[in-house]
């Protein structure tokens, strides 16, 4: 019986893996420009971290976590997201004692037990940023701009920004009361999930995708009409900042993050080309999260971007990706193969990507192989070439040929590649 990859996971094969390297490289370049530094946290954490850091009444914690007992009986969870681990690490390593804010980025696999479909998998990859230690609304703008720069850098332009503010621990509780009262009156018309959420997490009712609920949500009290002065002012600053950077946005009063530690700005960057899984990246402020996990009142803000969704959007687009090799060495006969192997090694040592045949194939088949491997140049080595110490380099794209002294092969190839 054959064994397949688990449902909802993907193998990333060449040449696609070049696309992934390209995206990760671009993300790193942007982060360098913005002075965000990489953090790598474990793939698994204590389950409690996610229960506290994401919240018990969220989809993730309610039904999507890969949780298991390890051999020591500890409850372990494969990370479903990156924020809680970053905050855990920040606290554990006492980074709050250093110059704030800390600006991190991460990139790697996340795990959620979801119903697999286009743009939704059980192992997927996120690139994300987190800024810990500043509640300046301009930081919110900075990360939105960073994410947009990334999308533009890889050639996307067809996306839009939605923003909202979900208030703070001062102004949200009275708003939630209003919301509960409103929804309680129309309780009968809401879906089962929403009926339950009125009590556990009324904000999340606003997020419901069921059409009949949408009708009711339309007329619900809006959080942005119920913000305290500080939150109102911060939200204005975010919008002003976006205006200053000429970033267009829509205000969407039903855009929420469901939990108490998410505060102020919430945003999503979406594309119409993604169907129902339309968010490319999403994030917001979590000024209460560090206190929840680590008893310290330190503000934070971040986003996470789904790399698979980005990949879907990039399908068919021409990317600046080099997946071929510089030169392929074709050899005729055993002694030429041995010599060729030596040259191959020399080329590689001087930084040139090179390959050869390992099946003793005919010259014609080797040339085909060079083509398949997308080689810029080929060189044919037979007894004649070895005796004369000279061979012919062929540019596979233009057909141009160059005579080369074998003892200067690497230099010659380097020169040609430089031009
Ligand atoms: P959704 O509403 O699509 O379930 P979410 O609110 O669960 O999104 P976040 O936790 O905010 O998503 O994750 C940020 C981004 O990660 C999403 O915008 C999306 O691009 C990506 N993402 C989330 N879950 C998945 C998944 N199962 N497969 C692929 N990408 C995902
Ligand atoms: Mg989800």
């Amino acid at each position: 019986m054959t064994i397949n990859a688990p449902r909802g996971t993907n193998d990333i094969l060449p040449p696609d893996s070049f696309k992934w390297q390209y995206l990760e490289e671009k993300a790193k370049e942007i982060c360098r420009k913005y002075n965000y530094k990489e953090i790598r946290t474990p793939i698994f954490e204590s389950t409690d971290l996610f229960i506290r850091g994401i919240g018990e009444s969220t989809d993730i914690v309610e039904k999507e976590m890969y949780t298991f007992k390890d051999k020591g009986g500890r409850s372990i969870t494969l990370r479903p997201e990156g924020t809680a681990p970053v905050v855990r690490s920040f606290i554990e390593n006492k980074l709050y004692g250093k110059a704030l804010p800390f600006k991190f980025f991460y990139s790697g696999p996340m795990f959620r037990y979801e119903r697999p479909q286009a743009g939704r998998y059980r192992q997927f990859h996120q690139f994300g940023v987190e800024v810990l230690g500043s509640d300046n609304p301009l930081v919110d703008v900075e990360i939105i701009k960073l994410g947009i720069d990334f999308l533009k850098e890889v050639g996307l332009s067809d996306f839009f920004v939605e923003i909202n503010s979900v208030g703070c621990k001062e102004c949200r509780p009275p708003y939630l009361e209003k919301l509960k009262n409103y929804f309680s009156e129309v309780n009968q018309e809401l879906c089962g999930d929403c009926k339950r959420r009125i009590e556990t997490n009324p904000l999340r009712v606003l997020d419901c995708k069921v059409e009949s609920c949408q009708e009711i949500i339309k007329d619900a009290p809006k959080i942005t009409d119920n913000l305290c002065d500080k939150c109102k002012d911060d939200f204005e600053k975010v919008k002003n900042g976006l205006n200053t950077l000429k970033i267009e946005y829509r205000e969407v009063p039903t855009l929420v993050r469901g939990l108490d530690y998410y505060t102020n700005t919430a945003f999503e960057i979406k594309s119409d080309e993604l169907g129902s899984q339309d968010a490319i990246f999403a994030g917001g402020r979590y000024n209460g999260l560090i206190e929840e996990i680590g008893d310290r009142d330190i503000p934070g803000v971040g986003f996470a971007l789904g790399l698979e969704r980005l990949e879907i959007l990039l399908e068919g687009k021409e990317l600046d990706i080099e997946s071929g090799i510089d030169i392929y060495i074709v050899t005729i006969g055993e002694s030429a193969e041995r010599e060729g192997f030596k040259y191959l090694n020399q080329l590689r040592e001087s930084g040139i990507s090179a390959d050869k045949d390992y099946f003793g194939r005919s010259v014609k088949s080797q040339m085909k192989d060079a083509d398949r491997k997308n080689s810029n140049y080929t060189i044919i080595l037979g007894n004649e070439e070895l005796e004369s110490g000279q061979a012919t380099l062929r540019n596979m794209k233009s057909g141009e040929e160059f005579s080369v002294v074998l003892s200067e092969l690497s230099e010659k190839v380097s020169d040609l590649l430089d031009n």
Side-chain angles (χ1 to χ4, degrees), residues 60 112 114 119-122 124 126 257 268 277 279-282 304-306 308-309:
I60 294 181
R112 295 184 196 177
E114 300 202 68
R120 194 177 289 290
Y121 312 97
R122 289 183 176 170
F124 61 99
Q126 286 184 336
R257 324 241 95 205
E268 286 187 358
Q277 269 62 63
I280 316 170
F281 71 95
L305 178 148
E308 278 80 1
R309 295 199 188 163

